[in-house]
């Protein structure tokens, strides 16, 4: 569990009664930001015939843009920057947390997205934007979201509360899904890592267990890389779907 | 689980730094760099579609030129064919004419030759008759001792020859 511990770096900073000290969590978020910035800088050459780096950047932006276009439509164009920021931030933060930096003594990476204080803020941010856009565009008509098209009149008292509950659960599912996926993968790898060590310490009988655990951890690591990308994609996709609800209603 | 046990201590720092980082990411990258990259992509795809349209136009023009060229080729070929046919007819007519005139010439010469042969034959016949009559007259005189007039002898010979 030590890998999830947040430790302050440098002097304590305070705003009023709130402690906002720079921490390892903040450090890795800043590194995430820098990596994204460096990556995007490679796409700013704006050549007619793109090089490899520029093509990669354009591939990423095109991927996010097509996701927004498909799920929201032409009205969603203004939300592409937000979806793009969400996707890249979560993706890079996830992947950074999986880097085997602990090989260098004294260094170990930190997964900012394994803290619900981070994923929760992201989820609440997405949810708030959905609410603001919904009420801004449709006013009180936004509540018609809770009555799907073609609901029989008698069913409305039954359907509307269910729709309302499923709507209110969105920020929790959004934030918890990412947090749980990250923490579960890291704990799984930690458990099998400790199996390798204790297997070796247990003598010849345990070596077989160590080898098996090692093979397993290789597979889990590959799976985790996939999960990093999928979770970032799911977060961005769901946010764009919720935005679609707010912009186009049903 | 540090996420829960540490929460009262770190929540302000987590939220502050996340909002700061995400704000810089959103405004500095999402709203500044992203539109530029998107406009580059759009400019490129516009350029590509323009170039494609241009190429399509050029191809249509080329097709038109080729069709015109083909039509002209066909025309010239038909013209040439017509000229050849006319020349052939003309030549054939001329050749026929020349053959006809040569034929007439040859016929005339054959006729003349035949006439000459006829005349020569007749002359030879007449001569033979004369000689035969003379011989017959002399033979009669010598064998029978009778003198025959020349006219009678000639008549007898003619009768014997044409008999």
């Amino acid at each position: 569990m030590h890998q999830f511990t947040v430790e302050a770096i440098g002097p304590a900073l305070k705003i009023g009664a709130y402690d906002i000290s720079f921490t390892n969590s903040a450090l890795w978020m800043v590194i995430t930001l820098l990596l994204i910035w460096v990556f995007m800088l490679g796409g700013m050459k704006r050549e007619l015939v793109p090089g490899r780096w520029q093509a990669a950047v354009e591939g990423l932006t095109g991927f996010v843009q097509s996701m927004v276009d498909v799920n929201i439509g032409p009205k969603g164009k203004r939300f592409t920057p937000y979806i793009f920021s969400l996707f890249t931030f979560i993706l890079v933060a996830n992947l950074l947390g999986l880097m085997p930096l602990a090989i260098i003594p004294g260094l170990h990476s930190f997964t900012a997205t394994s803290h619900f204080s981070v994923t929760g803020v992201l989820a609440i941010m997405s949810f708030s934007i959905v609410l603001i856009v919904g009420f801004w565009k449709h006013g009180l008509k936004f509540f018609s979201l809770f009555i799907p098209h073609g609901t029989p009149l008698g069913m409305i008292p039954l359907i509307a509360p269910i729709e309302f509950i499923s709507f209110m659960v969105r920020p929790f599912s959004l934030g918890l899904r990412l947090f749980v996926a990250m923490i579960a993968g890291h704990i799984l790898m930690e458990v099998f890592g400790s199996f390798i060590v204790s297997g070796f310490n247990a003598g010849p009988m345990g070596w077989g267990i160590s080898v098996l655990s090692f093979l397993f951890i290789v597979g889990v690591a590959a799976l985790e890389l996939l999960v990093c990308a999928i979770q970032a994609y799911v977060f961005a996709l769901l946010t764009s779907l919720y935005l679609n609800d707010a912009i186009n209603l049903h | 689980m540090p996420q829960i046990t540490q929460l009262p201590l770190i929540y302000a720092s987590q939220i502050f730094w996340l909002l700061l980082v995400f704000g810089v990411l959103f405004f500095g990258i999402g709203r500044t760099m992203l539109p530029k990259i998107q406009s580059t992509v759009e400019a490129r795809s516009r350029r590509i579609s323009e170039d494609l349209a241009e190429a399509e136009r050029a191809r249509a023009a080329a097709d038109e030129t080729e069709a015109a060229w083909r039509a002209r080729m066909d025309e010239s070929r038909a013209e040439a064919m017509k000229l050849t046919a006319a020349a052939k007819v003309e030549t054939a007519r001329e050749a026929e004419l020349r053959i006809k005139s040569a034929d007439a010439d040859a016929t005339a010469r054959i006729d003349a030759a035949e006439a000459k042969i006829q005349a020569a034959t007749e002359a030879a016949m007449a001569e033979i008759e004369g000689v035969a009559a003379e011989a017959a007259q002399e033979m009669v005189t010598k064998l029978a001792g009778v003198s025959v007039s020349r006219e009678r002898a000639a008549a007898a010979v003619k009768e014997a020859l044409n008999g």
Side-chain angles (χ1 to χ4, degrees):
Chain A
M1 286 301 167
H2 178 254
Q3 59 171 321
F4 301 118
T5 314
V6 179
E7 290 154 345
I9 298 172
L13 298 172
K14 275 187 186 262
I15 293 183
Y18 299 106
D19 177 17
I20 54 154
S21 305
F22 194 71
T23 60
N24 55 344
S25 172
L27 173 68
W28 284 97
M29 287 195 267
V30 171
I31 293 173
T32 302
L33 175 66
L34 286 178
L35 277 180
I36 297 170
W37 180 67
V38 168
F39 177 70
M40 291 295 279
L41 217 53
M44 295 299 283
K45 275 180 254 158
R46 313 188 68 179
E47 281 165 6
L48 187 64
V49 179
R52 287 174 196 210
W53 196 321
Q54 193 186 339
V57 175
E58 283 170 3
L60 179 69
T61 62
F63 171 72
V64 175
Q65 198 182 345
S66 75
M67 178 162 68
V68 172
D69 284 346
V70 167
N71 291 309
I72 308 181
K75 283 186 205 159
K77 234 179 168 48
R78 342 175 8 210
F79 296 99
T80 311
Y82 177 67
I83 303 287
F84 179 81
S85 306
L86 263 185
F87 179 72
T88 50
F89 179 77
I90 295 171
L91 180 69
V92 175
N94 287 355
L95 288 174
L96 270 181
L98 214 57
M99 292 297 117
L101 295 179
I103 286 178
I104 305 160
L107 251 184
H108 71 88
S109 56
F110 179 89
T111 319
T113 44
S114 69
H115 273 252
F116 60 78
S117 44
V118 170
T119 63
V121 170
L122 291 175
I124 290 167
M125 203 151 59
S126 286
F127 189 68
S128 312
I129 289 174
V130 168
L131 282 183
I132 292 167
V133 169
F135 282 113
W136 187 281
K137 285 219 150 174
H138 304 290
L140 292 181
K141 245 185 79 187
F142 183 55
F143 285 113
S144 69
L145 192 65
F146 302 133
I147 307 165
H149 259 305
T151 313
L153 217 60
M155 292 291 280
I156 288 178
L158 202 64
I159 295 286
I162 294 174
E163 286 283 325
F164 180 71
I165 290 169
S166 83
F167 184 78
M168 293 312 287
V169 160
R170 281 175 180 181
F172 298 98
S173 67
L174 208 53
L176 284 177
R177 182 185 297 110
L178 177 57
F179 154 67
V180 165
M182 284 303 112
I183 198 171
H186 283 262
I187 287 177
L188 192 62
M189 283 166 74
E190 187 177 333
V191 166
F192 278 97
S194 70
F195 278 8
I196 296 175
V197 175
S198 29
F200 263 114
N201 290 339
M205 278 269 276
W207 293 352
I209 294 171
S210 287
V211 171
L212 275 181
S213 299
F214 179 74
L215 288 177
F216 194 82
I217 212 171
V218 171
V220 170
L223 187 71
E224 278 307 304
L225 284 174
L226 185 69
V227 167
C228 287
I230 287 176
Q231 287 302 326
Y233 177 65
V234 165
F235 202 109
L237 181 70
L238 283 177
T239 300
S240 55
L241 284 177
Y242 297 159
L243 274 170
N244 176 45
D245 277 351
I247 293 168
N248 301 318
L249 286 180
H250 274 312
Chain B
M1 199 182 263
Q3 283 92 334
I4 298 169
T5 52
Q6 282 192 312
L7 189 61
L9 296 171
I10 61 165
Y11 76 97
S13 157
Q14 289 280 71
I15 293 170
F16 172 79
W17 287 105
L18 172 65
L19 290 181
L20 186 69
V21 165
F22 196 82
V24 172
L25 176 59
F26 177 68
F27 288 105
I29 294 175
R31 298 199 62 160
T32 313
M33 294 167 102
L34 182 66
K36 283 180 188 160
I37 290 167
Q38 282 174 323
S39 72
T40 310
V41 175
E42 263 160 38
R44 180 183 310 127
S45 61
R46 198 165 49 240
R47 172 86 183 269
I48 287 171
S49 58
E50 272 172 16
D51 283 1
L52 279 179
E54 181 66 32
E56 186 62 36
R57 259 201 305 282
R59 209 188 58 176
D63 279 355
E64 217 167 272
T65 314
E66 200 203 334
W69 176 80
R70 207 175 281 275
R72 253 184 41 215
M73 271 309 265
D74 284 353
E75 214 170 273
S76 343
R77 196 171 291 140
E79 184 74 18
M81 216 89 119
K82 215 155 59 191
L83 278 177
T84 318
K88 217 180 257 172
V89 167
E90 181 69 21
T91 320
R93 211 159 51 82
E94 239 164 56
E96 207 174 312
L97 223 63
R98 261 169 46 201
I99 287 169
K100 216 180 258 173
S101 79
D103 203 20
D105 199 21
T107 314
R109 273 160 59 188
I110 289 167
D111 283 354
E114 264 175 5
K116 255 165 79 182
I117 292 166
Q118 185 76 28
T121 315
E122 269 168 21
M125 272 309 217
E127 215 160 299
I128 287 168
E129 267 173 37
V131 173
E134 223 166 87
Q137 199 181 3
E138 234 163 89
M139 270 192 278
V140 169
T141 314
K142 271 204 183 134
L143 291 171
V146 186
S147 164
V148 192
S149 73
R150 191 167 166 89
E151 284 75 25
R152 260 190 80 187
V157 165
K158 203 169 248 178
E159 214 181 278
L161 272 176
N162 295 339

